[in-house]
Amino acid sequence: MDKSSTLDYINQMFPTEASLSGVEPLMQKIHSEIRRIDAEILSAVRQQSNSGTKAKEDLATATSAVE
């Protein structure tokens, strides 16, 4: 998003000075969404890490069985 389109978006969201009273609720909503997404990312990273560990264990077991 370039600078002019960002300003256009902000001006659409808050066209008057009085509408700026809605900034705080919007910021709270955005922060909540960021926390939710951060939690999802952390969960996915942990799951991926656990899958990698399990795959290494399975490979070691299979290698031992072949030997």
Side-chain angles (χ1 to χ4, degrees):
M1 191 176 250
D2 63 26
K3 187 175 180 178
S4 64
S5 62
T6 301
L7 289 175
D8 290 341
Y9 177 75
I10 291 170
N11 287 330
Q12 285 177 348
M13 293 287 294
F14 305 103
T16 65
E17 197 171 319
S19 66
L20 292 174
S21 64
V23 168
E24 187 61 33
L26 177 63
M27 291 302 297
Q28 289 175 354
K29 181 179 176 182
I30 290 169
H31 284 291
S32 293
E33 186 70 8
I34 289 170
R35 283 192 297 275
R36 184 187 67 75
I37 291 170
D38 282 346
E40 285 181 16
I41 291 169
L42 180 59
S43 176
V45 167
R46 285 182 176 157
Q47 187 176 15
Q48 185 65 31
S49 176
N50 291 341
S51 295
T53 302
K54 178 70 171 132
K56 286 179 186 176
E57 291 172 358
D58 291 345
L59 179 60
T61 302
T63 303
S64 295
V66 169
E67 290 174 349

